[in-house]
Amino acid sequence: MALAGTNEENVLQENTTIRSLNFTYAVHKIIGTGRFSCVYNATEVGTGNEVVIKAPNDSDFSRRFDRKLYLKELDFLNRLKSSKLRARYVQSRDTVLLKSGMICFVMERLSTTLQAVLHNTGPLPMCVCRPIVRQIAQGLAGLKCFGIVHADLKPDNIMFTSGIGNNILVKIIDFGWAFDIKNVHTMYQKQIQAIPYRAPEVCFQSSLDHGLDMWSLGCIMPEIVTGVKLFDVDEEELLIKMIVRTRPVPEYLISDFPANFFETKLTVGWIQFQNLHYDVFEQNDQQCCEDIEWFMDLVYQMLVVLPEMRITAVDALAHPFLTIMHFIKYPSTVMTKKNVKLMESCKLDI
């Protein structure tokens, strides 16, 4: 990892200029903050290329901030540059060293998060959901090849490459909680994943693997088409209750809980997801009915409680919902032509 000479600044600030070994960057406004870091809009001086710069949000980086955790994310981004599926991840472009020892990294500028789109425009049609999910699954399949678990997949960490309009290309961002599967033993006591997208094995402190991310994707899929979080809860206890209420859970995982522990109301998101069943009955279009049924089937396969039984990213990519093979019976319909075109837009040359 090549770093420039030390910049005069101790911390990254708005409206300043910083230099790496090869480039100078004009830092503009802060655009986001996370648990450990903050992100700024910036431009490359001379070229005007727009980038973002990520830095620890702790001013005493060398003493108080977990430097290894921060640098681990940079290591993962650099490793993924050699992936055939690198187009599915945000790209790291440069690093900058500040006087304090703080290391900032420069990344490509993307557009808006899936979360922002759902909040501002509402749910997306099934034909748009499909290529988004396919791209995420491609990204997760690539991560598994590198032995990396993202561990924080959620709509906030999926970004469109440009305004949604006619473009539906997305990338996975923020590898701050990612871990190498070889080091999974260090993760058992950590509360990884945002609660609405947290896998049962995290809640029950069971064995962890790449299935973590597939559970999260199973939560994201219904949210895309309903606009509402599937498990909209803010406490792990409530999440466990919802999982037990809605999914088959092995008895040995819940035998220590009192019988009345699981009495809870269904979330609006789960109810709306289930209402897709009724949409099938109301549809006069057989093709549309089959599509909804395959959509729900894939979600259920992602939301299997035992991770060893959960569908993998590679198998998900072969599922009828993502291959649209069930449309072969309807070769000339408007629906088929529209979906084929949209799926072509996210094809990778690998």
Side-chain angles (χ1 to χ4, degrees):
M1 179 175 62
L3 295 172
T6 304
N7 284 260
E8 291 301 316
E9 295 83 0
N10 283 309
V11 295
L12 194 64
Q13 297 177 341
E14 295 181 345
N15 303 315
T16 58
T17 300
I18 59 174
R19 288 168 292 279
S20 71
L21 188 63
N22 298 309
F23 297 100
T24 300
Y25 300 98
V27 182
H28 307 308
K29 292 187 178 296
I30 191 168
I31 57 172
T33 57
R35 283 166 284 194
F36 303 129
S37 59
C38 46
V39 179
Y40 296 78
N41 271 336
T43 53
E44 189 178 288
V45 176
T47 66
N49 291 336
E50 296 183 329
V51 296
V52 297
I53 300 179
K54 187 171 185 176
N57 53 23
D58 189 332
S59 59
D60 197 353
F61 177 69
S62 60
R63 181 169 62 86
R64 294 165 53 200
F65 187 79
D66 188 345
R67 186 184 179 106
K68 289 184 179 179
L69 185 67
Y70 182 74
L71 294 181
K72 181 184 65 174
E73 177 176 9
L74 183 57
D75 176 60
F76 287 152
L77 290 174
N78 285 333
R79 284 167 58 185
L80 290 171
K81 286 180 180 180
S82 63
S83 171
K84 292 182 178 179
L85 293 160
R86 57 187 173 274
R88 297 295 174 250
Y89 320 111
V90 63
Q91 295 295 300
S92 173
R93 293 184 173 175
D94 199 2
T95 52
V96 178
L97 177 65
L98 301 184
K99 184 178 180 180
S100 61
M102 176 186 291
I103 298 171
C104 308
F105 44 100
V106 182
M107 298 181 292
E108 65 176 319
R109 175 89 66 89
L110 299 175
S111 177
T112 188
T113 66
L114 176 59
Q115 173 61 35
V117 170
L118 295 175
H119 176 76
N120 294 327
T121 67
L124 301 176
M126 196 77 74
C127 63
V128 174
C129 172
R130 191 187 333 272
I132 291 173
V133 172
R134 181 167 180 80
Q135 291 171 83
I136 300 169
Q138 288 171 335
L140 295 182
L143 291 183
K144 188 171 183 178
C145 290
F146 279 76
I148 298 171
V149 180
H150 186 276
D152 196 22
L153 195 65
K154 55 186 178 181
D156 267 330
N157 288 337
I158 298 163
M159 290 195 74
F160 290 90
T161 59
S162 61
I164 186 169
N166 294 322
N167 170 64
I168 50 172
L169 297 180
V170 298
K171 297 194 176 195
I172 299 172
I173 69 165
D174 197 344
F175 288 76
W177 273 110
F179 63 90
D180 195 308
I181 196 67
K182 293 183 295 186
N183 300 321
V184 67
H185 60 281
T186 67
M187 305 301 296
Y188 287 137
Q189 303 304 318
K190 296 184 179 180
Q191 290 299 288
I192 53 177
Q193 300 183 296
I195 289 178
Y197 310 96
R198 185 173 292 170
E201 53 268 33
V202 178
C203 300
F204 295 118
Q205 297 186 351
S206 305
S207 297
L208 309 179
D209 63 13
H210 300 278
L212 287 174
D213 294 330
M214 290 307 295
W215 175 277
S216 298
L217 183 54
C219 295
I220 293 168
M221 279 183 67
E223 186 173 349
I224 293 174
V225 299
T226 66
V228 183
K229 288 185 178 68
L230 187 68
F231 299 126
D232 192 7
V233 294
D234 55 11
E235 296 177 12
E236 187 175 84
E237 179 178 304
L238 294 175
L239 177 62
I240 293 173
K241 290 180 177 181
M242 274 300 303
I243 291 172
V244 174
R245 176 81 191 275
T246 58
R247 307 300 298 134
V249 179
E251 181 63 28
Y252 70 86
L253 288 177
I254 57 176
S255 58
D256 291 337
F257 291 98
N260 62 352
F261 175 81
F262 304 109
E263 295 176 2
T264 186
K265 292 182 178 180
L266 294 172
T267 60
V268 172
W270 184 266
I271 293 172
Q272 291 197 13
F273 170 55
Q274 293 301 297
N275 283 344
L276 292 175
H277 279 301
Y278 299 107
D279 291 343
V280 170
F281 295 120
E282 292 175 2
Q283 290 283 349
N284 293 320
D285 187 332
Q286 183 62 29
Q287 183 179 8
C288 187
C289 290
E290 290 182 19
D291 201 33
I292 294 173
E293 289 172 343
W294 281 120
F295 169 86
M296 299 190 73
D297 179 78
L298 181 54
V299 172
Y300 285 135
Q301 290 196 51
M302 291 179 179
L303 297 182
V304 171
V305 168
L306 295 180
E308 63 269 25
M309 304 297 292
R310 196 174 301 150
I311 194 170
T312 65
V314 169
D315 287 341
L317 289 168
H319 187 276
F321 179 72
L322 296 184
T323 63
I324 57 175
M325 286 300 293
H326 55 299
F327 286 1
I328 199 168
K329 297 182 291 184
Y330 314 95
S332 303
T333 65
V334 172
M335 183 175 179
T336 295
K337 292 177 180 177
K338 182 176 183 178
N339 277 273
V340 168
K341 185 176 181 179
L342 287 171
M343 294 303 280
E344 280 290 326
S345 70
C346 65
K347 185 177 179 181
L348 281 173
D349 294 324
I350 56 176

